[in-house]
Amino acid sequence: MVEGWRIRVRGQVQGVGFRPHIWQLAREMGLRGRVLNDPEGVLIEAAGDDLAGFVAAIAQRAPVLARVDAVTHEGGVFDLPEGFEIAPSRGQGAETRVTPDAASCADCVAEIFAPGRRQGYAFTNCTHCGPRFTILQGLPYDRARTTMADFPMCAACRAEYENPADRRFHAQPVACPDCGPRIWLEPGGGDAIAGTVAVLRAGGIVAVKGLGGFHLACDAGNSEAVALLRARKRRPGKPFALMGTVEMIRAACAVSAEEEAQLGDPAAPIVLLRKAAEVLPDCVAPGQAVLGWMLPYTPLHHLLIAAMGGPLVMTSGNLSGEPQVIGNAEARDKLGGFADAFLMHDREIARRLDDSVERAHPPMILRRARGRVPGTLPLPDGFGDAPQVLAYGGQMKAAMCLLKNGQALLGHHLGELDEAQTWEAFLAAERDYAALFDHVPALVACDMHPGYRATQAAHARGLPVVEVQHHHAHMAACMAENGWPLGAGKVAGIVLDGLGLGPDGTVWGGEVLLGDYLGVERRGWLSPVAMPGGDMASREPWRNALAQLDAAGLSDVADGMFGGRPLTLLRQAVRAGVNAPLTSSAGRLFDAFAAVLGFAGAQSYEGEAAMGLEARALPDGVAYPLGGTEGVIETGPLWQAWAQDRAAGVAAEVMAGRFHAGLAAAFSGRARALVESGAAEAVALSGGCFQNALLLELTLAALGDLPVLIHRKVPANDGGLALGQAVVAAARAVSG
């Protein structure tokens, strides 16, 4: 028995090479003792001369994938070995963080292209890279609790796995061609990669099984192949994601240093990059000024891109509206009508994860999924005594959030809950997260809309329910992400999105709020205008344009633009208040303006009209005016100014720029007044409209030197809603 320290390390410290890091550090410093994994993270018992220096070095020299939240220690007397050992894991349960999946590291990529036993092997990985969350079935994170349990290690892999000096020490997915998963092509035989490339070069579509599900792949440079994929998937306009090397990406897009770093992040997200050359057919992303690119992030992808010699479209393998396919039999059944061939493997996917989507300028996560989940966010000061909370999010871009131990775990993107398959995936994710993270909520939080499936599920739990108004949740999510303390002053929130039920029973979406986590008051809002046809107005932008022009006294202009539509019937419905709810939605205002600039048909995906409007906008320093005094922000002056520009023959691109500038000026002016009067201490920008980079940049410029909170790690759209709901519920619980 010797005197020493028991050292506890909490954070993202399992599955990242933390134990060999500790082993090497202890040997270097001449310590004796042991290190092991347990449900709380990493536990160290050590004795020696410089334990304080050892503790300081733990976080300072941590492995690249590790995230150390806390290192604590206490003295004691321990039965320690003479040297330093890595001991078996203890216990079950989940108080530690789970590591997200990580893109192949440089060493593993080099290995698959060099002579050796892993040359050409599609499942090469080490402690610094590879699958984590997508193969995890339970904690602690050990091979027996992953989908790699079906692949017993050969002697060579076992030797690497058991050698603390090897980069594969305790890399749970370690494998090689002799003992690990394998790939094959259906139909076909021989070399699977070569066969896949042959199908792609012939203009075919291949379903490729990846890390978190299947992709549908085609030759990105072949316009006929891209058109074929669009026709088969019935996806006429939504941009496709692309995969290629940095050199391939630079041939098509401008890439800044920040963007290249984001592409090369271990999360390997899809990054939105501005086009610089027309080297790919426009049908890849019709009418868009940006392309979504990702680097190959598994050995399989690296082998495929290298053999192809050019970029690939890599879009989610799913039926329209359904979750991404993850199983082989499911792929054959559901993707058989899309794909000419299947590049399969026999490692099971424990949970489906779409690719994350991000932007570097300004930095923002647009879709939080593979590589980012289940990373956690620290709760701000004041939430230390918060109970465990489960928040259900909204109906669109569904994602749930769990609060526990001062951390918020915002779950992965699931999709639209009105689709039956997505709803099943949502319920499965709820069970999955609860089991993996040993989460037992004391209360649940949800949106106040009674028609949302997530709201109904929250009420069905039989626990206390906190309903949070949609736009308050958006604002609170932005505050929490930025660490705004629970006891701090009030914030002015500019919340611009599509639709959210207001406490007055109308549909909100263009709001200036004043408040904190406990509550808000509405200080400004776009003048409410009818949505002719209700939900149809969200799909057909011309309906919103009709209502906006009529409200602005420009019915004659509407008659000239939309004369072939059933205008009389819709106007009668608006006057009678039949299926024409009032809304202050900024999203619907975007749709309306896109319609008057030429977006004539129905939207084939959410945000299509608004994205097109942003893509063509050319700001010229002029902003359309919006009127109003206290409360209402009148849109009539904007439409009058636009009508004058239209009559004068001003270019559509310039008018689109003036529209963006007008919205930014009007809302930032209201928020600035609240800060300058002392009513608010900062401004928070949230809601899906702030995924529009131009609107965000113009708003930030208009706010000038005011303290401004924006989204970076949490989606501004409904994908971040659950975080806001969770912290509002927690704040009310803590504050009594």
Side-chain angles (χ1 to χ4, degrees):
M1 304 292 285
V2 295
E3 290 189 7
W5 285 3
R6 176 177 285 116
I7 303 163
R8 161 66 61 199
V9 187
R10 290 184 171 88
Q12 185 173 293
V13 292
Q14 292 190 12
V16 296
F18 212 89
R19 287 173 298 172
H21 158 63
I22 296 297
W23 179 83
Q24 291 172 344
L25 191 61
R27 287 167 61 91
E28 176 185 317
M29 300 182 74
L31 305 182
R32 61 185 290 192
R34 64 177 62 89
V35 59
L36 56 93
N37 281 344
D38 69 5
E40 293 186 51
V42 167
L43 181 66
I44 306 162
E45 294 171 342
D49 291 336
D50 189 13
L51 291 175
F54 173 68
V55 167
I58 288 174
Q60 293 171 358
R61 294 168 55 180
V64 64
L65 297 181
R67 302 290 183 270
V68 177
D69 292 337
V71 182
T72 60
H73 67 271
E74 61 181 4
V77 178
F78 308 100
D79 182 10
L80 300 179
E82 286 300 320
F84 200 91
E85 67 179 21
I86 296 177
S89 298
R90 294 179 190 168
Q92 295 188 16
E95 299 296 328
T96 189
R97 299 234 296 267
V98 177
T99 306
D101 300 273
S104 298
C105 68
D107 288 338
C108 285
V109 173
E111 197 171 2
I112 64 173
F113 290 112
R117 68 191 190 94
R118 288 192 176 91
Q119 184 175 19
Y121 186 54
F123 301 92
T124 299
N125 68 87
C126 71
T127 308
H128 307 301
C129 68
R132 300 291 195 278
F133 194 45
T134 51
I135 62 170
L136 182 68
Q137 295 175 315
L139 290 173
Y141 174 64
D142 286 315
R143 191 181 183 98
R145 297 181 182 91
T146 73
T147 59
M148 285 299 296
D150 295 334
F151 302 95
M153 283 180 271
C154 65
C157 286
R158 172 65 66 180
E160 294 170 326
Y161 182 85
E162 294 179 348
N163 180 4
D166 195 286
R167 81 173 199 275
R168 293 194 166 91
F169 176 75
H170 279 221
Q172 305 307 333
V174 66
C176 75
D178 292 334
C179 64
R182 64 185 185 91
I183 62 171
W184 68 91
L185 184 67
E186 298 178 8
D191 186 282
I193 297 294
T196 299
V197 169
V199 175
L200 293 168
R201 286 182 175 161
I205 313 298
V206 180
V208 179
K209 187 177 183 182
L211 202 58
F214 277 80
H215 287 104
L216 291 170
C218 73
D219 180 355
N222 184 335
S223 60
E224 292 181 357
V226 177
L228 177 64
L229 178 55
R230 288 203 176 279
R232 289 182 179 177
K233 201 176 178 185
R234 297 177 186 173
R235 185 171 163 173
K238 192 172 184 179
F240 281 141
L242 298 160
M243 180 178 283
T245 63
V246 170
E247 293 72 25
M248 295 172 192
I249 296 171
R250 286 193 179 280
C253 293
V255 183
S256 69
E258 294 82 3
E259 288 165 338
E260 185 167 352
Q262 196 168 29
L263 284 164
D265 188 274
I270 296 169
V271 179
L272 301 185
L273 303 170
R274 184 160 291 276
K275 288 183 186 178
E278 297 297 330
V279 298
L280 296 177
D282 184 67
C283 57
V284 167
Q288 297 301 310
V290 297
L291 297 174
W293 283 95
M294 56 184 159
L295 296 177
Y297 56 84
T298 70
L300 176 61
H301 294 140
H302 280 281
L303 293 167
L304 189 57
I305 292 292
M308 185 70 187
L312 295 174
V313 164
M314 293 287 268
T315 188
S316 295
N318 62 309
L319 298 174
S320 180
E322 290 190 3
Q324 191 175 18
V325 168
I326 62 172
N328 293 352
E330 182 188 17
R332 296 181 190 105
D333 176 45
K334 292 190 173 182
L335 304 182
F338 300 159
D340 299 300
F342 295 82
L343 182 55
M344 298 287 209
H345 65 70
D346 57 356
R347 185 179 67 202
E348 289 187 24
I349 298 171
R351 59 190 51 80
R352 69 188 84 233
L353 287 180
D354 287 298
D355 298 307
S356 292
V357 181
E358 305 182 8
R359 186 180 61 223
H361 303 297
M364 184 180 289
I365 292 178
L366 309 179
R367 183 170 73 193
R368 184 178 169 90
R370 177 196 50 76
R372 299 299 182 193
V373 177
T376 61
L377 301 163
L379 292 177
D381 289 345
F383 285 92
D385 295 328
Q388 291 191 31
V389 179
L390 172 60
Y392 281 79
Q395 185 79 354
M396 308 283 285
K397 297 177 174 60
M400 58 190 67
C401 183
L402 290 68
L403 299 192
K404 182 179 179 181
N405 294 343
Q407 299 282 326
L409 192 159
L410 180 60
H412 60 285
H413 167 85
L414 288 159
E416 324 308 332
L417 295 187
D418 53 358
E419 294 288 344
Q421 295 289 329
T422 305
W423 177 239
E424 290 179 10
F426 181 88
L427 295 176
E430 179 184 5
R431 297 188 296 268
D432 185 33
Y433 280 120
L436 274 179
F437 300 101
D438 195 19
H439 192 260
V440 184
L443 69 160
V444 294
C446 63
D447 196 273
M448 62 187 294
H449 196 301
Y452 284 1
R453 276 183 152 175
T455 300
Q456 295 162 4
H459 282 280
R461 280 297 298 260
L463 293 169
V465 177
V466 177
E467 290 189 346
V468 184
Q469 198 276 325
H470 192 89
H471 300 91
H472 183 198
H474 272 306
M475 174 176 153
C478 186
M479 293 164 61
E481 178 186 348
N482 285 274
W484 193 260
L486 176 57
K490 293 184 177 181
V491 169
I494 302 176
V495 187
L496 307 180
D497 69 352
L499 301 172
L501 181 64
D504 60 358
T506 65
V507 180
W508 291 11
E511 318 302 321
V512 179
L513 304 177
L514 174 65
D516 51 25
Y517 295 110
L518 295 174
V520 293
E521 54 183 301
R522 196 184 190 199
R523 287 297 191 90
W525 58 93
L526 288 173
S527 48
V529 175
M531 292 198 306
D535 288 344
M536 285 296 293
S538 297
R539 293 190 288 273
E540 297 181 350
W542 68 267
R543 293 171 178 262
N544 299 293
L546 171 66
Q548 290 281 350
L549 292 173
D550 282 354
L554 296 169
S555 295
D556 55 334
V557 177
D559 291 341
M561 298 190 78
F562 308 118
R565 311 282 188 175
L567 305 188
T568 301
L569 284 174
L570 286 178
R571 283 168 169 155
Q572 289 174 349
V574 169
R575 284 194 293 270
V578 176
N579 197 24
L582 293 175
T583 182
S584 59
S585 167
R588 299 295 77 80
L589 184 60
F590 265 92
D591 288 349
F593 205 83
V596 301
L597 292 193
F599 191 96
Q603 300 192 81
S604 64
Y605 61 93
E606 186 197 8
E608 181 177 8
M611 287 172 62
L613 188 65
E614 178 191 2
R616 69 192 304 194
L618 291 174
D620 66 345
V622 177
Y624 284 143
L626 285 90
T629 53
E630 185 70 21
V632 178
I633 300 171
E634 295 285 354
T635 56
L638 178 152
W639 291 108
Q640 293 289 342
W642 161 78
Q644 293 173 12
D645 275 357
R646 178 173 179 263
V650 173
E653 291 75 12
V654 172
M655 291 190 285
R658 292 175 177 179
F659 169 80
H660 281 79
L663 277 188
F667 279 94
S668 61
R670 295 295 180 96
R672 174 178 285 279
L674 290 171
V675 175
E676 291 178 345
S677 70
E681 295 185 8
V683 180
L685 308 181
S686 192
C689 291
F690 279 115
Q691 293 191 151
N692 179 318
L694 176 59
L695 179 66
L696 179 57
E697 289 168 355
L698 290 170
T699 304
L700 289 172
L703 290 169
D705 58 356
L706 296 183
V708 182
L709 314 178
I710 65 172
H711 288 284
R712 292 181 176 85
K713 297 179 180 179
V714 173
N717 63 24
D718 284 7
L721 204 62
L723 172 62
Q725 295 169 352
V727 293
V728 168
R732 293 176 183 172
V734 170
S735 302

mmCIF file of all heavy atoms in Angstrom, residues 379 383 386-391 401-409 439 723 726-727 729-730:
data_model
loop_
_atom_site.group_PDB
_atom_site.id
_atom_site.type_symbol
_atom_site.label_atom_id
_atom_site.label_comp_id
_atom_site.label_asym_id
_atom_site.label_seq_id
_atom_site.Cartn_x
_atom_site.Cartn_y
_atom_site.Cartn_z
ATOM 1 N N LEU A 379 -23.526 23.935 -19.915
ATOM 2 C CA LEU A 379 -24.589 24.872 -19.568
ATOM 3 C C LEU A 379 -23.989 26.132 -18.952
ATOM 4 O O LEU A 379 -22.946 26.077 -18.296
ATOM 5 C CB LEU A 379 -25.563 24.226 -18.592
ATOM 6 C CG LEU A 379 -26.416 23.082 -19.156
ATOM 7 C CD1 LEU A 379 -27.282 22.471 -18.059
ATOM 8 C CD2 LEU A 379 -27.289 23.579 -20.302
ATOM 9 N N PHE A 383 -26.908 27.171 -13.881
ATOM 10 C CA PHE A 383 -27.670 25.953 -14.156
ATOM 11 C C PHE A 383 -27.092 24.736 -13.427
ATOM 12 O O PHE A 383 -27.442 23.603 -13.739
ATOM 13 C CB PHE A 383 -27.711 25.675 -15.665
ATOM 14 C CG PHE A 383 -28.634 26.576 -16.431
ATOM 15 C CD1 PHE A 383 -28.160 27.748 -16.996
ATOM 16 C CD2 PHE A 383 -29.976 26.259 -16.594
ATOM 17 C CE1 PHE A 383 -29.005 28.591 -17.717
ATOM 18 C CE2 PHE A 383 -30.822 27.087 -17.301
ATOM 19 C CZ PHE A 383 -30.342 28.257 -17.862
ATOM 20 N N ALA A 386 -29.600 22.333 -12.007
ATOM 21 C CA ALA A 386 -30.707 21.992 -12.904
ATOM 22 C C ALA A 386 -30.988 20.491 -12.858
ATOM 23 O O ALA A 386 -30.064 19.671 -12.833
ATOM 24 C CB ALA A 386 -30.389 22.413 -14.327
ATOM 25 N N PRO A 387 -32.255 20.103 -12.861
ATOM 26 C CA PRO A 387 -32.587 18.676 -12.911
ATOM 27 C C PRO A 387 -32.324 18.113 -14.299
ATOM 28 O O PRO A 387 -32.059 18.858 -15.250
ATOM 29 C CB PRO A 387 -34.089 18.671 -12.600
ATOM 30 C CG PRO A 387 -34.571 19.984 -13.133
ATOM 31 C CD PRO A 387 -33.452 20.959 -12.871
ATOM 32 N N GLN A 388 -32.398 16.800 -14.425
ATOM 33 C CA GLN A 388 -32.314 16.192 -15.746
ATOM 34 C C GLN A 388 -33.585 16.557 -16.525
ATOM 35 O O GLN A 388 -34.702 16.403 -16.027
ATOM 36 C CB GLN A 388 -32.176 14.677 -15.640
ATOM 37 C CG GLN A 388 -30.844 14.236 -15.061
ATOM 38 C CD GLN A 388 -30.603 12.748 -15.200
ATOM 39 O OE1 GLN A 388 -31.060 12.112 -16.149
ATOM 40 N NE2 GLN A 388 -29.876 12.183 -14.255
ATOM 41 N N VAL A 389 -33.396 17.048 -17.731
ATOM 42 C CA VAL A 389 -34.499 17.509 -18.573
ATOM 43 C C VAL A 389 -34.401 16.826 -19.929
ATOM 44 O O VAL A 389 -33.303 16.623 -20.461
ATOM 45 C CB VAL A 389 -34.459 19.043 -18.767
ATOM 46 C CG1 VAL A 389 -35.599 19.508 -19.673
ATOM 47 C CG2 VAL A 389 -34.514 19.764 -17.427
ATOM 48 N N LEU A 390 -35.539 16.469 -20.493
ATOM 49 C CA LEU A 390 -35.614 15.984 -21.866
ATOM 50 C C LEU A 390 -36.497 16.940 -22.643
ATOM 51 O O LEU A 390 -37.664 17.147 -22.285
ATOM 52 C CB LEU A 390 -36.201 14.573 -21.921
ATOM 53 C CG LEU A 390 -36.521 14.014 -23.317
ATOM 54 C CD1 LEU A 390 -35.263 13.942 -24.175
ATOM 55 C CD2 LEU A 390 -37.177 12.634 -23.214
ATOM 56 N N ALA A 391 -35.956 17.551 -23.684
ATOM 57 C CA ALA A 391 -36.721 18.469 -24.534
ATOM 58 C C ALA A 391 -36.924 17.830 -25.901
ATOM 59 O O ALA A 391 -36.001 17.238 -26.463
ATOM 60 C CB ALA A 391 -35.994 19.798 -24.669
ATOM 61 N N CYS A 401 -33.091 17.136 -26.962
ATOM 62 C CA CYS A 401 -31.976 17.595 -26.138
ATOM 63 C C CYS A 401 -32.109 17.037 -24.735
ATOM 64 O O CYS A 401 -33.210 17.028 -24.165
ATOM 65 C CB CYS A 401 -31.948 19.123 -26.091
ATOM 66 S SG CYS A 401 -30.551 19.809 -25.169
ATOM 67 N N LEU A 402 -30.990 16.568 -24.176
ATOM 68 C CA LEU A 402 -30.943 16.041 -22.820
ATOM 69 C C LEU A 402 -30.035 16.924 -21.968
ATOM 70 O O LEU A 402 -28.919 17.262 -22.393
ATOM 71 C CB LEU A 402 -30.384 14.613 -22.809
ATOM 72 C CG LEU A 402 -31.208 13.461 -23.401
ATOM 73 C CD1 LEU A 402 -31.344 13.581 -24.910
ATOM 74 C CD2 LEU A 402 -30.546 12.123 -23.051
ATOM 75 N N LEU A 403 -30.503 17.308 -20.796
ATOM 76 C CA LEU A 403 -29.662 18.015 -19.833
ATOM 77 C C LEU A 403 -29.305 17.071 -18.702
ATOM 78 O O LEU A 403 -30.169 16.387 -18.153
ATOM 79 C CB LEU A 403 -30.387 19.229 -19.245
ATOM 80 C CG LEU A 403 -30.841 20.347 -20.164
ATOM 81 C CD1 LEU A 403 -31.255 21.561 -19.337
ATOM 82 C CD2 LEU A 403 -29.785 20.731 -21.170
ATOM 83 N N LYS A 404 -28.013 17.069 -18.349
ATOM 84 C CA LYS A 404 -27.548 16.222 -17.253
ATOM 85 C C LYS A 404 -26.158 16.678 -16.836
ATOM 86 O O LYS A 404 -25.303 16.936 -17.692
ATOM 87 C CB LYS A 404 -27.509 14.749 -17.699
ATOM 88 C CG LYS A 404 -27.080 13.772 -16.613
ATOM 89 C CD LYS A 404 -27.097 12.335 -17.151
ATOM 90 C CE LYS A 404 -26.648 11.348 -16.094
ATOM 91 N NZ LYS A 404 -26.636 9.955 -16.585
ATOM 92 N N ASN A 405 -25.943 16.780 -15.539
ATOM 93 C CA ASN A 405 -24.613 17.077 -14.995
ATOM 94 C C ASN A 405 -23.989 18.327 -15.596
ATOM 95 O O ASN A 405 -22.798 18.369 -15.905
ATOM 96 C CB ASN A 405 -23.672 15.891 -15.219
ATOM 97 C CG ASN A 405 -24.093 14.659 -14.438
ATOM 98 O OD1 ASN A 405 -24.881 14.759 -13.504
ATOM 99 N ND2 ASN A 405 -23.584 13.504 -14.834
ATOM 100 N N GLY A 406 -24.795 19.374 -15.773
ATOM 101 C CA GLY A 406 -24.257 20.632 -16.267
ATOM 102 C C GLY A 406 -23.928 20.646 -17.741
ATOM 103 O O GLY A 406 -23.267 21.572 -18.224
ATOM 104 N N GLN A 407 -24.364 19.629 -18.474
ATOM 105 C CA GLN A 407 -24.101 19.536 -19.909
ATOM 106 C C GLN A 407 -25.421 19.400 -20.668
ATOM 107 O O GLN A 407 -26.394 18.837 -20.165
ATOM 108 C CB GLN A 407 -23.213 18.321 -20.226
ATOM 109 C CG GLN A 407 -21.843 18.342 -19.576
ATOM 110 C CD GLN A 407 -20.872 19.265 -20.280
ATOM 111 O OE1 GLN A 407 -20.921 19.421 -21.491
ATOM 112 N NE2 GLN A 407 -19.982 19.877 -19.516
ATOM 113 N N ALA A 408 -25.423 19.916 -21.895
ATOM 114 C CA ALA A 408 -26.562 19.741 -22.792
ATOM 115 C C ALA A 408 -26.128 18.870 -23.958
ATOM 116 O O ALA A 408 -25.138 19.175 -24.634
ATOM 117 C CB ALA A 408 -27.058 21.089 -23.310
ATOM 118 N N LEU A 409 -26.838 17.775 -24.161
ATOM 119 C CA LEU A 409 -26.572 16.914 -25.310
ATOM 120 C C LEU A 409 -27.689 17.145 -26.323
ATOM 121 O O LEU A 409 -28.817 16.704 -26.133
ATOM 122 C CB LEU A 409 -26.531 15.440 -24.897
ATOM 123 C CG LEU A 409 -25.981 14.474 -25.947
ATOM 124 C CD1 LEU A 409 -25.516 13.189 -25.284
ATOM 125 C CD2 LEU A 409 -26.986 14.137 -27.037
ATOM 126 N N HIS A 439 -30.158 8.348 -18.738
ATOM 127 C CA HIS A 439 -30.872 9.614 -18.538
ATOM 128 C C HIS A 439 -32.275 9.342 -18.026
ATOM 129 O O HIS A 439 -33.051 8.613 -18.648
ATOM 130 C CB HIS A 439 -30.947 10.386 -19.857
ATOM 131 C CG HIS A 439 -31.409 11.804 -19.710
ATOM 132 N ND1 HIS A 439 -32.696 12.189 -19.964
ATOM 133 C CD2 HIS A 439 -30.742 12.923 -19.321
ATOM 134 C CE1 HIS A 439 -32.810 13.490 -19.752
ATOM 135 N NE2 HIS A 439 -31.642 13.957 -19.369
ATOM 136 N N LEU A 723 -32.694 22.656 -27.508
ATOM 137 C CA LEU A 723 -31.778 23.228 -26.520
ATOM 138 C C LEU A 723 -32.453 24.387 -25.806
ATOM 139 O O LEU A 723 -32.387 24.501 -24.575
ATOM 140 C CB LEU A 723 -30.481 23.689 -27.188
ATOM 141 C CG LEU A 723 -29.524 24.473 -26.273
ATOM 142 C CD1 LEU A 723 -29.050 23.629 -25.105
ATOM 143 C CD2 LEU A 723 -28.334 25.010 -27.069
ATOM 144 N N ALA A 726 -35.074 23.158 -23.413
ATOM 145 C CA ALA A 726 -34.478 22.508 -22.240
ATOM 146 C C ALA A 726 -33.993 23.530 -21.221
ATOM 147 O O ALA A 726 -34.221 23.380 -20.013
ATOM 148 C CB ALA A 726 -33.333 21.597 -22.673
ATOM 149 N N VAL A 727 -33.309 24.584 -21.682
ATOM 150 C CA VAL A 727 -32.779 25.549 -20.719
ATOM 151 C C VAL A 727 -33.885 26.418 -20.126
ATOM 152 O O VAL A 727 -33.788 26.844 -18.967
ATOM 153 C CB VAL A 727 -31.659 26.418 -21.334
ATOM 154 C CG1 VAL A 727 -30.433 25.563 -21.639
ATOM 155 C CG2 VAL A 727 -32.121 27.155 -22.573
ATOM 156 N N ALA A 729 -36.930 25.301 -19.467
ATOM 157 C CA ALA A 729 -37.519 24.427 -18.447
ATOM 158 C C ALA A 729 -36.611 24.330 -17.226
ATOM 159 O O ALA A 729 -37.079 24.380 -16.079
ATOM 160 C CB ALA A 729 -37.772 23.043 -19.037
ATOM 161 N N ALA A 730 -35.303 24.199 -17.464
ATOM 162 C CA ALA A 730 -34.362 24.100 -16.354
ATOM 163 C C ALA A 730 -34.321 25.390 -15.549
ATOM 164 O O ALA A 730 -34.256 25.366 -14.308
ATOM 165 C CB ALA A 730 -32.967 23.763 -16.886
#
